[in-house]
Amino acid sequence: MNARIREILSWYGSDSAGTRANLARMLAHGRLAGTGKLVILPVDQGFEHGPARSFAPNPPSYNPHYHFQLAIDAGCNAYAAPLGFLEAGAHQFAGEIPLILKLNNHDVLHEDKDPLPAVTGSVREALRLGCAAVGYTIYPGSLHCVRMYEQLRAIAEEAKAAGLAVVVWSYPRGSALSKEGETAMDVIAYAAQIAAQLGAHIIKVKLPSVHLELAAAKKVYEAEQIPITTLAERVKHVVQSSFDGRRIVIFSGGAKSDDKNVFDEARAIRDGGGFGSIIGRNSFQRPKAEAVTFLQTIMGIYAGDRP
Amino acid sequence: MNARIREILSWYGSDSAGTRANLARMLAHGRLAGTGKLVILPVDQGFEHGPARSFAPNPPSYNPHYHFQLAIDAGCNAYAAPLGFLEAGAHQFAGEIPLILKLNNHDVLHEDKDPLPAVTGSVREALRLGCAAVGYTIYPGSLHCVRMYEQLRAIAEEAKAAGLAVVVWSYPRGSALSKEGETAMDVIAYAAQIAAQLGAHIIKVKLPSVHLELAAAKKVYEAEQIPITTLAERVKHVVQSSFDGRRIVIFSGGAKSDDKNVFDEARAIRDGGGFGSIIGRNSFQRPKAEAVTFLQTIMGIYAGDRP
Amino acid sequence: MNARIREILSWYGSDSAGTRANLARMLAHGRLAGTGKLVILPVDQGFEHGPARSFAPNPPSYNPHYHFQLAIDAGCNAYAAPLGFLEAGAHQFAGEIPLILKLNNHDVLHEDKDPLPAVTGSVREALRLGCAAVGYTIYPGSLHCVRMYEQLRAIAEEAKAAGLAVVVWSYPRGSALSKEGETAMDVIAYAAQIAAQLGAHIIKVKLPSVHLELAAAKKVYEAEQIPITTLAERVKHVVQSSFDGRRIVIFSGGAKSDDKNVFDEARAIRDGGGFGSIIGRNSFQRPKAEAVTFLQTIMGIYAGDRP
Amino acid sequence: MNARIREILSWYGSDSAGTRANLARMLAHGRLAGTGKLVILPVDQGFEHGPARSFAPNPPSYNPHYHFQLAIDAGCNAYAAPLGFLEAGAHQFAGEIPLILKLNNHDVLHEDKDPLPAVTGSVREALRLGCAAVGYTIYPGSLHCVRMYEQLRAIAEEAKAAGLAVVVWSYPRGSALSKEGETAMDVIAYAAQIAAQLGAHIIKVKLPSVHLELAAAKKVYEAEQIPITTLAERVKHVVQSSFDGRRIVIFSGGAKSDDKNVFDEARAIRDGGGFGSIIGRNSFQRPKAEAVTFLQTIMGIYAGDRP
Amino acid sequence: MNARIREILSWYGSDSAGTRANLARMLAHGRLAGTGKLVILPVDQGFEHGPARSFAPNPPSYNPHYHFQLAIDAGCNAYAAPLGFLEAGAHQFAGEIPLILKLNNHDVLHEDKDPLPAVTGSVREALRLGCAAVGYTIYPGSLHCVRMYEQLRAIAEEAKAAGLAVVVWSYPRGSALSKEGETAMDVIAYAAQIAAQLGAHIIKVKLPSVHLELAAAKKVYEAEQIPITTLAERVKHVVQSSFDGRRIVIFSGGAKSDDKNVFDEARAIRDGGGFGSIIGRNSFQRPKAEAVTFLQTIMGIYAGDRP
């Protein structure tokens, strides 16, 4: 265990040896092992957007084994997916890649301005499947946030008691937020803070824009002249908002986009002190060999390789 | 245990020996034993539509024993029904046919655009009655889907822990879907994916039409030129959407219809790589001797008998 | 145990010895012991309609002991009442008459087109009071039916595990049904079927009228020419709809009415193959001696006495 | 134990020795010990109406010890209060006066035509505090009555299993009742009946007026010529409606009023066969010495002292 | 243990040795040890208002360790925060300062006139983190108050059984209250009473204004001429409303304000018999050295230092 991992683990001093070991498992795995950086492969789009929108651009990805192998081949730190996808491969790939069981999911077959995902897995299932962590999505801003926070409370308590790590996807959304507000600087920082206060070990948010959504917050950002002009500054503010950097915060890649963009974003995350990326569609929606190269380029950025 | 059954069981590697044995029990029973194909007799229409609409066309079918005997005589792989119907015969027919206890049901005495079935049985009852599996219906698209998914999560976890298999009926329905959308290609594929992600071992959906319901999905079907013109192609796409064929997907026969239609559909299911049919009203609403012949014709199609 | 009781018990083969013994206790008690017929005294009107409407016409009936004694003196098979009424006499009358604890009740102090009774007792209380069975009312058609069915599921499972019998009052009611529809032939048959599918051992419905409420059902009744002209025919159809006569179905007497009517109804129930009556207000709202004669006349009809 | 207490206990034959002993504890305590009559001091107004409205008229009553001492000094049978008030004195006054822990409470800081109190204590807490009984308020007529009845069911079952007595405050209220209807003769009798059917050992209602609220009930009161002209007659009818006098029914004093009124009411309660009073504001809102005299005058009326 | 602490503990006679020891731990810690007064540092604003609004004015305060150290350096009696903030330091600062785990929290990303906080921690977590107490916020006046009171009931019962103390933040808010009413004299006194009746050991309210909100209460305040002109008088009335001073009541400092104001308020709290302050933003939003001086000035006021 190198010094950086020991340092990171020191932030989680109240956690059990089991949970700390599982955090270490992810930090010590793959291409970024020992760097304190993480690139995680998440594949929940089959549930969230439907199979064709997710997998048709690269048909081998309909197969759940595909994603295990992609995460292994690319040297990701972990692979995250809902129950069905993990069940379909956890036995065969046991011990080859740390797994994160996503415990709630949401589909787009019904309308909801204030989303409420369904709990689709459990800590017991995560243990059965040999996972290192559980994942859970909250939508701060949704009218159903109380229910989500309370489910997360129970799940996190049970996960910690069982020695698992807790990864929280914190995505502001709901009838009181504008579309632009969902990625506003103040709102994303707030979302990271909420996840941290709820006891997340690893926090996952979207990259924030320069927009400020809430009037009371805007006043403070202006009065205190918090620097948020560049993406790296905004990442830095999110990291600061996550217990002054004492919680691991990673950022999502979002919809498929231009590779150069993604690499620039990774550089900004790195320069702002972020801990890495969680990259789904941008990786699995292209042929596997390309995806491996693509992911390793990102890992190289985090590892500080000369580009 | 022949190679095909071993192959199918290999897809369920994360499951316990108990669950795998129960899947094998169904795959190794009846006329289609060992073929990897399934024809299941489901009789929940008494609850779902009322007794006269279900049984008056063939009055002996009011008797719960009738359906056990029909499934046995026709050589079905399993018989599925609600608590009352199974209780009324499980003792007498113990060991003669694998049973599936349907754990939720819905009636038509009240209106609901967004249906929510009632949980009417339990895993414990399924064990008491000697069942091989539990069945559960979800209505993706219903505003009550969160509740259904969460009930299924709990039931599936308990069933797996008890060594039972989990069969999920996935029927899109709800205020955000058009009538045509309930069997749209994209929606049915999505419904199969959701069932698979929720941890179903066996998925049951309706046969999809060529219609595409969701704008975002339609764009992808067209861009990727997914072939969905023939019924066999559509079945193939549903199988692909069910973890690339690594989950058993069977199709429902729907309302009573012309025999030729049903046989044509079975051929399309077979040609598309589907795993079989679940046929209720088309079988039990005719005299038993006819029903046996009818079911065996379908089984013959799946078994590859020369027609 | 005579042959008829053995035959009836054979329909409940999946049940435990305890539950079967309790069914036998009721079938083997009182004036109709061994006939396979049942006349049960139910007294829940104090809760359902208020004390004065229930007991003022015959003031001794305010006293809970009155009803125990009436059921005993008349030779009923069992006495059914809510928690308070049973608690007030179970100790004194222990072993003198099989008891049914009614586990849910409804009052008329608030309005509800879609009724939801409150659960007012439990299986544990039924055991404490030495009951042979629990009773539970469902209102198929009510928007709250899911909650009622799910409560019944849990109660029935617990009761069966404890060796009790389960009696279900199935009363269609709710905003989607017309007043006439609550006793329509198709609706009553459907209500009996639902109770049977939910696992009831004994089903209690109202006597059906010749009216047909649901369009889809009406078409079938007409197409199949199901005979429903006479009351006996309608009773027979209800019995058929209760697993082809393999579940005990009894009929309620309803509001106080002319004795001749009640006797005629009992004859129709007998002739249609019904299993008996549950008679409350018509018996306890008259002086006890008269009530005993009245109930014994009805029992005589079921026993096949020459009238 | 004198004959009258033995007689009263005989009505509770289905209860455990523990519960019967606790009923006896209250009946055998204080000035009215052995008379079969009860005067209970209830102090929940701090929660229900706020502290100033409750205690400012007699400031020493802000102190929770005040009420223990008042109940002891006056010779009440028991003292009833919410968790906080009992916790604040149960240790010091252990064994000096039977205690009743009120398990639900309601405040007036929010509006609700259909009240729903919050559960604020538990049977376990009642045991910890050495109580003889638990108290629970239901509002028959409230749209939330199902929730209240079901909470009471669970609480009463647990209390009885723990050997405690159950006291039910039954206060009709809700959007379907007129203001006058809340104390109407038919409605109060119905409320007493519901409490009795729910398993209450001691029932507490308001004194009924001569008004009849419900059309169906009114018809019966008139047809049967139930005498309800005098207050004593109305009390008698409430007692009759409480299992023909086989349940202890006591009456509330209501808001502070003229002493003569209160004494007249006590005489009517006594003459009608009521079991006593529960008197809060009329006692603790005056200086303690006066309150003791006042309460003992009432007790004298019940004890049959020459006035 | 000095006499004053023994006296305070005597008010909590019904509590276990464990809970009394934890109350003593807080009363015997820091600058005010043994005075019977308390100054507590609460830091939940990151969750309640967002990170920038809370911590940007003094950026080191983004770090969770900052607040532990501030509370220690200033000599506070205890430090209160949500799960995440405590987890992030409880291990390192074990034994240095009594901790209070705030078990529910609320954010401002969604609108709610009738607030409902989410439960974000548990008694088990409080024990894991070595806390002396749990904290819980109720909003009397909110339409969701029943849910909050019932959650608090369960939490307080569990906390007491585990030997923890219970601190209740009681903040009137909701659609039936005017903005001014939230700090009205009658409403604050009522809020303190409710918290006390719910079993709080320590009650935290806002400082009341001279406004009277509720008509029925206003009448009594005027009739009884309750003195509420000065802040000290109002504090005295709140203390009286908290079981006549037999419960510890402390007051919040509210938003950042002029130091002189805060000191004047502390003097009024002291003069009115209040037990101290809970001061968050006014302390942690300034440089630490200044904050320590500021907090110690307040403590000096409570300790009776000559100013």
mmCIF file of all heavy atoms in Angstrom, chain A residues 229-256:
data_model
loop_
_atom_site.group_PDB
_atom_site.id
_atom_site.type_symbol
_atom_site.label_atom_id
_atom_site.label_comp_id
_atom_site.label_asym_id
_atom_site.label_seq_id
_atom_site.Cartn_x
_atom_site.Cartn_y
_atom_site.Cartn_z
ATOM 1 N N THR A 229 -14.443 30.382 -13.102
ATOM 2 C CA THR A 229 -14.431 30.664 -14.545
ATOM 3 C C THR A 229 -14.002 29.457 -15.368
ATOM 4 O O THR A 229 -14.655 29.084 -16.338
ATOM 5 C CB THR A 229 -13.482 31.841 -14.836
ATOM 6 O OG1 THR A 229 -13.795 32.899 -13.937
ATOM 7 C CG2 THR A 229 -13.657 32.318 -16.280
ATOM 8 N N THR A 230 -12.910 28.814 -14.984
ATOM 9 C CA THR A 230 -12.457 27.660 -15.767
ATOM 10 C C THR A 230 -13.053 26.377 -15.190
ATOM 11 O O THR A 230 -13.463 26.327 -14.020
ATOM 12 C CB THR A 230 -10.918 27.532 -15.724
ATOM 13 O OG1 THR A 230 -10.544 27.160 -14.385
ATOM 14 C CG2 THR A 230 -10.249 28.862 -16.077
ATOM 15 N N LEU A 231 -13.065 25.328 -16.028
ATOM 16 C CA LEU A 231 -13.590 24.048 -15.566
ATOM 17 C C LEU A 231 -12.747 23.526 -14.403
ATOM 18 O O LEU A 231 -13.279 22.965 -13.439
ATOM 19 C CB LEU A 231 -13.620 23.049 -16.735
ATOM 20 C CG LEU A 231 -14.255 21.680 -16.445
ATOM 21 C CD1 LEU A 231 -15.658 21.823 -15.892
ATOM 22 C CD2 LEU A 231 -14.293 20.818 -17.710
ATOM 23 N N ALA A 232 -11.429 23.715 -14.479
ATOM 24 C CA ALA A 232 -10.559 23.239 -13.393
ATOM 25 C C ALA A 232 -10.896 23.952 -12.077
ATOM 26 O O ALA A 232 -10.910 23.337 -11.005
ATOM 27 C CB ALA A 232 -9.088 23.466 -13.756
ATOM 28 N N GLU A 233 -11.208 25.235 -12.163
ATOM 29 C CA GLU A 233 -11.604 25.961 -10.952
ATOM 30 C C GLU A 233 -12.919 25.410 -10.390
ATOM 31 O O GLU A 233 -13.096 25.287 -9.173
ATOM 32 C CB GLU A 233 -11.780 27.453 -11.255
ATOM 33 C CG GLU A 233 -10.457 28.199 -11.419
ATOM 34 C CD GLU A 233 -10.647 29.621 -11.959
ATOM 35 O OE1 GLU A 233 -11.709 29.915 -12.566
ATOM 36 O OE2 GLU A 233 -9.736 30.444 -11.775
ATOM 37 N N ARG A 234 -13.799 25.103 -11.314
ATOM 38 C CA ARG A 234 -15.096 24.583 -10.850
ATOM 39 C C ARG A 234 -14.935 23.197 -10.222
ATOM 40 O O ARG A 234 -15.559 22.875 -9.225
ATOM 41 C CB ARG A 234 -16.092 24.552 -12.011
ATOM 42 C CG ARG A 234 -16.410 25.959 -12.527
ATOM 43 C CD ARG A 234 -17.647 26.013 -13.381
ATOM 44 N NE ARG A 234 -17.537 25.323 -14.644
ATOM 45 C CZ ARG A 234 -17.047 25.846 -15.775
ATOM 46 N NH1 ARG A 234 -16.598 27.095 -15.795
ATOM 47 N NH2 ARG A 234 -17.021 25.138 -16.874
ATOM 48 N N VAL A 235 -14.084 22.365 -10.831
ATOM 49 C CA VAL A 235 -13.807 21.058 -10.236
ATOM 50 C C VAL A 235 -13.211 21.249 -8.840
ATOM 51 O O VAL A 235 -13.594 20.574 -7.883
ATOM 52 C CB VAL A 235 -12.842 20.253 -11.143
ATOM 53 C CG1 VAL A 235 -12.242 19.068 -10.375
ATOM 54 C CG2 VAL A 235 -13.572 19.774 -12.391
ATOM 55 N N LYS A 236 -12.287 22.184 -8.745
ATOM 56 C CA LYS A 236 -11.631 22.441 -7.460
ATOM 57 C C LYS A 236 -12.664 22.838 -6.393
ATOM 58 O O LYS A 236 -12.580 22.408 -5.227
ATOM 59 C CB LYS A 236 -10.610 23.571 -7.652
ATOM 60 C CG LYS A 236 -9.670 23.733 -6.470
ATOM 61 C CD LYS A 236 -8.605 24.789 -6.735
ATOM 62 C CE LYS A 236 -7.930 25.149 -5.419
ATOM 63 N NZ LYS A 236 -7.153 26.395 -5.538
ATOM 64 N N HIS A 237 -13.640 23.652 -6.811
ATOM 65 C CA HIS A 237 -14.674 24.064 -5.851
ATOM 66 C C HIS A 237 -15.561 22.879 -5.437
ATOM 67 O O HIS A 237 -15.996 22.791 -4.285
ATOM 68 C CB HIS A 237 -15.522 25.180 -6.452
ATOM 69 C CG HIS A 237 -16.599 25.657 -5.535
ATOM 70 N ND1 HIS A 237 -16.350 26.156 -4.271
ATOM 71 C CD2 HIS A 237 -17.950 25.683 -5.677
ATOM 72 C CE1 HIS A 237 -17.498 26.473 -3.680
ATOM 73 N NE2 HIS A 237 -18.474 26.189 -4.510
ATOM 74 N N VAL A 238 -15.815 21.963 -6.372
ATOM 75 C CA VAL A 238 -16.590 20.771 -6.009
ATOM 76 C C VAL A 238 -15.794 19.919 -5.016
ATOM 77 O O VAL A 238 -16.343 19.404 -4.040
ATOM 78 C CB VAL A 238 -16.958 19.944 -7.265
ATOM 79 C CG1 VAL A 238 -17.598 18.618 -6.857
ATOM 80 C CG2 VAL A 238 -17.896 20.727 -8.168
ATOM 81 N N VAL A 239 -14.519 19.782 -5.280
ATOM 82 C CA VAL A 239 -13.672 18.989 -4.376
ATOM 83 C C VAL A 239 -13.645 19.642 -2.981
ATOM 84 O O VAL A 239 -13.798 18.975 -1.954
ATOM 85 C CB VAL A 239 -12.241 18.861 -4.953
ATOM 86 C CG1 VAL A 239 -11.291 18.229 -3.928
ATOM 87 C CG2 VAL A 239 -12.270 18.034 -6.242
ATOM 88 N N GLN A 240 -13.517 20.968 -2.978
ATOM 89 C CA GLN A 240 -13.556 21.705 -1.706
ATOM 90 C C GLN A 240 -14.907 21.479 -0.993
ATOM 91 O O GLN A 240 -14.961 21.306 0.228
ATOM 92 C CB GLN A 240 -13.380 23.188 -2.029
ATOM 93 C CG GLN A 240 -13.274 24.099 -0.821
ATOM 94 C CD GLN A 240 -13.204 25.571 -1.251
ATOM 95 O OE1 GLN A 240 -13.935 26.002 -2.142
ATOM 96 N NE2 GLN A 240 -12.316 26.325 -0.608
ATOM 97 N N SER A 241 -15.977 21.468 -1.784
ATOM 98 C CA SER A 241 -17.319 21.287 -1.217
ATOM 99 C C SER A 241 -17.558 19.862 -0.733
ATOM 100 O O SER A 241 -18.580 19.573 -0.130
ATOM 101 C CB SER A 241 -18.378 21.671 -2.251
ATOM 102 O OG SER A 241 -18.266 23.052 -2.569
ATOM 103 N N SER A 242 -16.614 18.976 -1.055
ATOM 104 C CA SER A 242 -16.715 17.589 -0.594
ATOM 105 C C SER A 242 -15.738 17.403 0.562
ATOM 106 O O SER A 242 -14.800 16.618 0.486
ATOM 107 C CB SER A 242 -16.377 16.639 -1.746
ATOM 108 O OG SER A 242 -17.223 16.893 -2.847
ATOM 109 N N PHE A 243 -15.984 18.152 1.618
ATOM 110 C CA PHE A 243 -15.183 18.052 2.840
ATOM 111 C C PHE A 243 -13.733 18.460 2.578
ATOM 112 O O PHE A 243 -12.803 17.823 3.058
ATOM 113 C CB PHE A 243 -15.273 16.652 3.445
ATOM 114 C CG PHE A 243 -16.637 16.299 3.973
ATOM 115 C CD1 PHE A 243 -17.738 17.158 3.846
ATOM 116 C CD2 PHE A 243 -16.861 15.073 4.617
ATOM 117 C CE1 PHE A 243 -18.985 16.820 4.350
ATOM 118 C CE2 PHE A 243 -18.114 14.734 5.129
ATOM 119 C CZ PHE A 243 -19.171 15.614 4.987
ATOM 120 N N ASP A 244 -13.575 19.527 1.809
ATOM 121 C CA ASP A 244 -12.250 20.092 1.557
ATOM 122 C C ASP A 244 -11.289 19.033 1.012
ATOM 123 O O ASP A 244 -10.116 18.995 1.387
ATOM 124 C CB ASP A 244 -11.688 20.666 2.879
ATOM 125 C CG ASP A 244 -10.787 21.865 2.619
ATOM 126 O OD1 ASP A 244 -10.881 22.470 1.524
ATOM 127 O OD2 ASP A 244 -9.995 22.199 3.514
ATOM 128 N N GLY A 245 -11.832 18.196 0.149
ATOM 129 C CA GLY A 245 -10.976 17.198 -0.490
ATOM 130 C C GLY A 245 -10.799 15.925 0.301
ATOM 131 O O GLY A 245 -10.042 15.039 -0.107
ATOM 132 N N ARG A 246 -11.499 15.796 1.401
ATOM 133 C CA ARG A 246 -11.368 14.585 2.226
ATOM 134 C C ARG A 246 -12.387 13.507 1.858
ATOM 135 O O ARG A 246 -12.596 12.566 2.619
ATOM 136 C CB ARG A 246 -11.467 14.937 3.716
ATOM 137 C CG ARG A 246 -10.347 15.921 4.146
ATOM 138 C CD ARG A 246 -10.449 16.291 5.604
ATOM 139 N NE ARG A 246 -10.057 15.191 6.469
ATOM 140 C CZ ARG A 246 -8.809 14.903 6.823
ATOM 141 N NH1 ARG A 246 -7.807 15.638 6.384
ATOM 142 N NH2 ARG A 246 -8.551 13.882 7.615
ATOM 143 N N ARG A 247 -13.041 13.666 0.730
ATOM 144 C CA ARG A 247 -13.876 12.609 0.169
ATOM 145 C C ARG A 247 -13.509 12.473 -1.305
ATOM 146 O O ARG A 247 -13.201 13.488 -1.959
ATOM 147 C CB ARG A 247 -15.385 12.953 0.284
ATOM 148 C CG ARG A 247 -15.954 12.823 1.702
ATOM 149 C CD ARG A 247 -15.990 11.385 2.171
ATOM 150 N NE ARG A 247 -16.366 11.221 3.583
ATOM 151 C CZ ARG A 247 -15.486 11.110 4.589
ATOM 152 N NH1 ARG A 247 -14.181 11.181 4.367
ATOM 153 N NH2 ARG A 247 -15.900 10.928 5.820
ATOM 154 N N ILE A 248 -13.537 11.241 -1.816
ATOM 155 C CA ILE A 248 -13.223 10.998 -3.229
ATOM 156 C C ILE A 248 -14.392 11.479 -4.091
ATOM 157 O O ILE A 248 -15.518 11.050 -3.875
ATOM 158 C CB ILE A 248 -12.978 9.484 -3.459
ATOM 159 C CG1 ILE A 248 -11.756 9.023 -2.662
ATOM 160 C CG2 ILE A 248 -12.820 9.197 -4.944
ATOM 161 C CD1 ILE A 248 -11.591 7.503 -2.596
ATOM 162 N N VAL A 249 -14.099 12.397 -5.013
ATOM 163 C CA VAL A 249 -15.146 12.881 -5.932
ATOM 164 C C VAL A 249 -14.728 12.574 -7.344
ATOM 165 O O VAL A 249 -13.633 12.948 -7.772
ATOM 166 C CB VAL A 249 -15.328 14.413 -5.840
ATOM 167 C CG1 VAL A 249 -16.654 14.817 -6.476
ATOM 168 C CG2 VAL A 249 -15.244 14.895 -4.422
ATOM 169 N N ILE A 250 -15.620 11.934 -8.085
ATOM 170 C CA ILE A 250 -15.320 11.669 -9.492
ATOM 171 C C ILE A 250 -16.428 12.258 -10.345
ATOM 172 O O ILE A 250 -17.507 12.601 -9.845
ATOM 173 C CB ILE A 250 -15.127 10.163 -9.765
ATOM 174 C CG1 ILE A 250 -16.358 9.365 -9.343
ATOM 175 C CG2 ILE A 250 -13.898 9.657 -9.013
ATOM 176 C CD1 ILE A 250 -16.217 7.871 -9.619
ATOM 177 N N PHE A 251 -16.172 12.397 -11.614
ATOM 178 C CA PHE A 251 -17.073 13.133 -12.494
ATOM 179 C C PHE A 251 -17.517 12.263 -13.657
ATOM 180 O O PHE A 251 -16.758 11.423 -14.140
ATOM 181 C CB PHE A 251 -16.360 14.397 -12.995
ATOM 182 C CG PHE A 251 -16.030 15.340 -11.881
ATOM 183 C CD1 PHE A 251 -14.858 15.195 -11.138
ATOM 184 C CD2 PHE A 251 -16.914 16.356 -11.542
ATOM 185 C CE1 PHE A 251 -14.565 16.050 -10.077
ATOM 186 C CE2 PHE A 251 -16.621 17.212 -10.480
ATOM 187 C CZ PHE A 251 -15.444 17.061 -9.751
ATOM 188 N N SER A 252 -18.731 12.510 -14.113
ATOM 189 C CA SER A 252 -19.270 11.676 -15.178
ATOM 190 C C SER A 252 -18.970 12.285 -16.534
ATOM 191 O O SER A 252 -18.860 13.501 -16.680
ATOM 192 C CB SER A 252 -20.770 11.541 -15.032
ATOM 193 O OG SER A 252 -21.374 12.787 -15.204
ATOM 194 N N GLY A 253 -18.864 11.384 -17.492
ATOM 195 C CA GLY A 253 -18.584 11.821 -18.844
ATOM 196 C C GLY A 253 -19.826 12.275 -19.592
ATOM 197 O O GLY A 253 -19.739 13.060 -20.526
ATOM 198 N N GLY A 254 -21.007 11.824 -19.175
ATOM 199 C CA GLY A 254 -22.228 12.222 -19.860
ATOM 200 C C GLY A 254 -22.411 11.507 -21.186
ATOM 201 O O GLY A 254 -21.832 10.438 -21.410
ATOM 202 N N ALA A 255 -23.221 12.087 -22.073
ATOM 203 C CA ALA A 255 -23.560 11.478 -23.354
ATOM 204 C C ALA A 255 -22.307 11.370 -24.211
ATOM 205 O O ALA A 255 -21.290 12.001 -23.955
ATOM 206 C CB ALA A 255 -24.622 12.305 -24.065
ATOM 207 N N LYS A 256 -22.403 10.534 -25.261
ATOM 208 C CA LYS A 256 -21.259 10.322 -26.148
ATOM 209 C C LYS A 256 -20.838 11.666 -26.738
ATOM 210 O O LYS A 256 -21.662 12.443 -27.174
ATOM 211 C CB LYS A 256 -21.646 9.342 -27.251
ATOM 212 C CG LYS A 256 -20.425 8.615 -27.785
ATOM 213 C CD LYS A 256 -20.736 7.587 -28.842
ATOM 214 C CE LYS A 256 -19.409 7.175 -29.482
ATOM 215 N NZ LYS A 256 -19.647 6.257 -30.621
#
